Amino acid sequence: MALVEIRNLTKCFRKGDETITPLDNVDLDIESGQFVALMGASGTGKSTLLNLLAGIDRADQGSINVAGTEITRLSRSRLADWRAANLGYIFQTQNLIPVLTAYENVELPLLLLPLSGAERRKRVEVALEAVGLTDRVDHYPRQLSGGQEQRVGIARAIVAHPAIIVADEPTGSLDATTSEQIQVLLGRLNRELGMTMLMVTHDQQVASIGTRCLRLDRGRIIEATPKRHGRQEQPHAMAR
Amino acid sequence: MFRFTPYVIKSLWRRRARTLLTVSGAAVALLVFCFVGSVQEGLRRLTEDEHAQRTLIVFQENRFCPTSSRLPHDYADRIRTVPGVADVVPVLVWTNNCRAILDAIVFNGLPVGKLRSARDLQLTSGDWTEFAGRHDAALVGRTVARRHNLAMGEQFSIGEISVRVAGVFESAVPAEENLIYTDLPFLQYTPGMNAAGLVTQHEVHLTDDAEPEAVARAIDQALKAGPVATTTRRKGAFQASVLSDLVDLIGFAHWLGYACVALVLSLVATTTVMSVQDRIREHAVLQTLGLRPARIFRLVIAESLLMCVFGGVLGTIAALALIASGGMAIGAEGVTIAFRPSWQLGAMGIAVSLAVGVLAAIVPAFQAARTQIVSALRNA
Ligand SMILES: Nc1ncnc2c1ncn2[C@@H]1O[C@H](COP(=O)(O)OP(=O)(O)OP(=O)(O)O)[C@@H](O)[C@H]1O
Ligand SMILES: [Mg+2]
């Protein structure tokens, strides 16, 4: 059984009498340890899919099963608890709490888990080490560069050892060099720590760090993993 | 819950100008609120005390200011014969002003022997023999002494009266501490008083089983034949009627106190609404990290509560300190209202701050908790 099983997922938005259906009966499986890059034209519903998987938005129809938990059926509070324990979310920008230091920002998700102070400290240090920011622990977000800020955000997303990490255009607002560094970092986290990831991106090069590439087009998901990886899978069954 | 305390405090500190303005607003409002509360407390003590309920005051009919009530001294003998009367204390009252003023000075002349038995006074300086030994000796209430810087042995004059301070006293009845006691004959024979053989009022102490209203009627009946008609009331009712102008004013001030509370409420609510609106995205990020909506609700409440309680405690302490420093005594017609800091007042100030802190934040906290994460992240 796959780590993530999405079945018949539908989401539509109503604006007046017009209805947009970015996700129309989508099916998708993500295996544990995969690094999935999700591409597609603007407005095709990539963020919508990612937010549904992250449990911060509600589907109109269908199911999302993550590691045995059917998250579409959870109440708001239970869903929050689920996110605290199972989800790492990497935002595009402005994702840190401005009044907290880098260290405190990374520690934040751990405050929701039953961990001792010593254990929290150890985990925060490991996470900051992993993103290479051990020398910036006492800095506030305004004292960090865009790339550093993003790395703190990544440390915060991995610190609670979540089952899955989602990232919505994590390099979208960074310059080329910084973007490169973040890509390398994400690739390493997947390879070395075995983290399962779903990343939305517009950039073919960024997508190439993934182990699998998907394309969202008119409400359907298409496998687009280049042949050179040798892991080409059958095009996904696309239900209507 | 307390794991997020640093976050709450840092959030308040980040907007410190706004926080400090809100805190000082709350402090000032609570200061006024407690002050008004203490005036009311003083008034209530004056009219509702056990002592005020079980003591009668015989006054000249249709007179209010002590300078205009003149009763024969020897009415005391006739009153003493009325059933239910345990003791009668003739009192001559002199005040510097009959209207409602902030700095009322009130002399009460009582027979020396009666003063000791009828009043529960503890001398903090001086002694009773000194008081009994000199005819112009005066015992000064602690509040008056502090206000006018009077100490043992000093000479003190006001109007025609000139006395020597034989002691300073404190009393379990706060209003007593606004009085100056002298021997009755001394005050009666003070030039200008023209009060030889006269007193302002007779204070009647009742036997345990006496019914105050019935005894009051019997006294007025018994004195009907005398040269001066009387009105006898419980001390509480008497004081309330003497202070009736002030009672209205205090009733009005009471609303002022509530207005202050309403003001803090809207001040803190405004600050909280602004802080929630500033942080729509931040709250959405926190929810994404896994904070439950109920937790967001509590965090917003905690911020408001902290500001309100901090300001409220400051204001309450300032009010109590101000009252304790004894700057004034509101009085009219020889009756004064004592301000006194009390635990009830402090507890009241803090309880009000707590309630306002929670009330002010309920709506914004609810809004913050209900924020739809995705739209908040998109729009910010
Ligand atoms: N709250 C909403 N109300 C109405 N329409 C919405 C809402 N949210 C998203 N949409 C629409 O749903 C579609 C998918 O949006 P989504 O943000 O998922 O696209 P995307 O693929 O992430 O685009 P981009 O690459 O530009 O980020 C868009 O057409 C958008 O206009
Ligand atoms: Mg998007």
Side-chain angles (χ1 to χ4, degrees):
Chain A
M1 182 171 156
L3 179 70
V4 177
E5 288 185 359
I6 295 176
R7 294 289 175 270
N8 302 322
L9 194 66
T10 300
K11 175 78 179 176
C12 46
F13 297 102
R14 273 164 214 97
K15 245 188 236 154
D17 41 352
E18 189 192 0
T19 305
I20 307 166
T21 311
L23 301 178
D24 186 5
N25 269 321
V26 166
D27 288 348
L28 172 65
D29 283 1
I30 298 173
E31 299 293 338
S32 183
Q34 273 184 347
F35 186 163
V36 180
L38 182 60
M39 299 192 65
S42 181
T44 45
K46 304 181 295 296
S47 298
T48 304
L49 176 61
L50 181 126
N51 289 337
L52 288 171
L53 174 59
I56 60 173
D57 201 359
R58 292 287 190 183
D60 291 305
Q61 197 188 302
S63 68
I64 303 170
N65 193 307
V66 182
T69 306
E70 178 48 57
I71 66 168
T72 50
R73 291 214 203 98
L74 298 177
S75 68
R76 270 191 87 178
S77 295
R78 292 238 168 275
L79 201 53
D81 294 346
W82 176 83
R83 287 194 299 269
N86 298 285
L87 175 84
Y89 196 114
I90 302 172
F91 298 82
Q92 182 176 349
T93 48
Q94 290 177 37
N95 62 97
L96 300 181
I97 305 301
V99 297
L100 300 181
T101 61
Y103 183 95
E104 291 166 329
N105 263 288
V106 176
E107 191 189 24
L108 207 52
L110 299 183
L111 298 179
L112 300 167
L113 304 176
L115 298 173
S116 69
E119 207 166 336
R120 287 204 301 271
R121 172 174 297 273
K122 213 176 86 196
R123 285 221 205 167
V124 173
E125 276 162 8
V126 169
L128 282 168
E129 176 91 52
V131 300
L133 268 182
T134 42
D135 55 337
R136 290 283 188 279
V137 289
D138 291 327
H139 287 55
Y140 285 91
R142 62 174 183 281
Q143 299 166 325
L144 298 173
S145 71
Q148 288 168 338
E149 209 177 320
Q150 193 59 304
R151 280 192 277 164
V152 175
I154 293 169
R156 185 178 64 186
I158 61 172
V159 74
H161 304 168
I164 182 155
I165 292 172
V166 300
D168 197 349
E169 302 184 40
T171 58
S173 56
L174 300 175
D175 64 76
T177 327
T178 318
S179 166
E180 179 90 35
Q181 290 168 354
I182 297 294
Q183 290 166 40
V184 170
L185 173 61
L186 291 175
R188 239 187 55 221
L189 291 176
N190 168 249
R191 275 192 316 280
E192 294 173 12
L193 304 176
M195 296 197 162
T196 310
M197 298 202 206
L198 174 66
M199 175 180 69
V200 168
T201 181
H202 279 285
D203 189 330
Q204 185 64 53
Q205 191 216 328
V206 177
S208 69
I209 59 170
T211 57
R212 180 181 169 198
C213 187
L214 302 177
R215 196 166 276 285
L216 194 57
D217 187 18
R218 270 162 286 164
R220 314 180 317 176
I221 283 186
I222 305 158
E223 289 289 345
T225 313
K227 282 264 194 308
R228 63 185 164 86
H229 281 281
R231 292 178 61 166
Q232 175 79 51
E233 289 161 32
Q234 287 304 305
H236 227 79
M238 289 163 294
R240 279 297 90 81
Chain B
M1 182 77 207
F2 295 110
R3 286 183 168 189
F4 284 88
T5 309
Y7 167 67
V8 170
I9 291 172
K10 284 180 156 191
S11 296
L12 287 172
W13 184 244
R14 179 179 163 87
R15 293 163 182 86
R16 46 193 165 277
R18 198 157 85 189
T19 302
L20 289 179
L21 283 174
T22 309
V23 165
S24 47
V28 171
L30 260 290
L31 186 140
V32 176
F33 177 81
C34 285
F35 206 78
V36 170
S38 101
V39 179
Q40 282 188 297
E41 220 175 59
L43 184 67
R44 204 174 319 116
R45 259 196 311 258
L46 218 49
T47 56
E48 289 170 11
D49 260 7
E50 168 75 13
H51 168 75
Q53 295 296 339
R54 298 287 306 169
T55 307
L56 301 178
I57 298 290
V58 185
F59 213 68
Q60 185 170 350
E61 196 177 29
N62 298 326
R63 297 297 161 91
F64 299 99
C65 186
T67 50
S68 65
S69 171
R70 295 291 198 215
L71 299 180
H73 192 157
D74 58 16
Y75 268 13
D77 302 329
R78 282 201 245 170
I79 295 170
R80 208 165 283 126
T81 62
V82 175
V85 174
D87 195 11
V88 180
V89 182
V91 182
L92 181 61
V93 179
W94 181 90
T95 175
N96 60 337
N97 202 325
C98 255
R99 283 166 305 167
I101 54 164
L102 268 179
D103 184 18
I105 293 187
V106 183
F107 280 82
N108 277 10
L110 271 73
V112 173
K114 292 279 184 199
L115 178 58
R116 244 183 131 163
S117 61
R119 297 283 185 270
D120 183 19
L121 310 179
Q122 279 84 42
L123 297 187
T124 55
S125 70
D127 59 70
W128 288 97
T129 44
E130 168 92 11
F131 179 59
R134 285 182 67 111
H135 82 290
D136 66 343
L139 291 179
V140 181
R142 189 168 62 159
T143 322
V144 191
R146 197 181 310 135
R147 203 160 66 231
H148 293 276
N149 260 324
L150 296 177
M152 211 8 232
E154 262 176 75
Q155 199 73 27
F156 172 62
S157 300
I158 179 161
E160 306 268 5
I161 307 174
S162 178
V163 294
R164 201 181 133 88
V165 180
V168 174
F169 65 85
E170 56 181 29
S171 166
V173 182
E176 292 281 314
E177 297 182 350
N178 290 327
L179 300 178
I180 302 173
Y181 284 109
T182 65
D183 187 21
L184 178 58
F186 165 75
L187 214 53
Q188 283 174 325
Y189 291 101
T190 293
M193 287 290 277
N194 299 322
L198 296 175
V199 296
T200 306
Q201 64 205 44
H202 289 281
E203 189 179 296
V204 179
H205 298 264
L206 301 172
T207 55
D208 286 344
D209 54 349
E211 210 283 293
E213 302 299 334
V215 177
R217 275 195 302 276
I219 291 172
D220 286 339
Q221 196 61 40
L223 298 175
K224 216 172 174 179
V228 183
T230 58
T231 306
T232 305
R233 280 167 291 183
R234 293 170 202 245
K235 192 170 183 178
F238 168 77
Q239 288 175 328
S241 85
V242 164
L243 292 175
S244 64
D245 287 357
L246 271 183
V247 170
D248 291 347
L249 204 68
I250 290 167
F252 175 71
H254 172 81
W255 289 108
L256 225 68
Y258 285 136
C260 280
V261 173
L263 218 65
V264 204
L265 192 71
S266 71
L267 177 70
V268 177
T270 307
T271 307
T272 311
V273 165
M274 280 163 66
S275 118
V276 165
Q277 281 172 354
D278 283 355
R279 289 189 292 166
I280 292 175
R281 185 186 168 90
E282 189 172 313
H283 286 142
V285 169
L286 288 175
Q287 284 205 53
T288 305
L289 296 183
L291 272 77
R292 287 178 167 203
R295 169 96 65 176
I296 302 285
F297 183 87
R298 292 203 302 268
L299 287 175
V300 175
I301 297 271
E303 271 185 36
S304 150
L305 204 56
L306 218 61
M307 281 191 292
C308 223
V309 169
F310 191 58
V313 166
L314 281 182
T316 304
I317 289 175
L320 294 182
L322 200 71
I323 294 163
S325 73
M328 58 203 110
I330 294 185
E333 301 173 9
V335 176
T336 60
I337 300 172
F339 298 108
R340 195 175 252 201
S342 72
W343 287 116
Q344 289 97 303
L345 211 57
M348 173 95 141
I350 290 165
V352 165
S353 328
L354 281 170
V356 168
V358 173
L359 270 180
I362 282 187
V363 172
F366 191 66
Q367 282 172 343
R370 273 176 43 116
T371 304
Q372 293 300 315
I373 301 176
V374 175
S375 59
L377 290 175
R378 264 180 207 276
N379 296 336

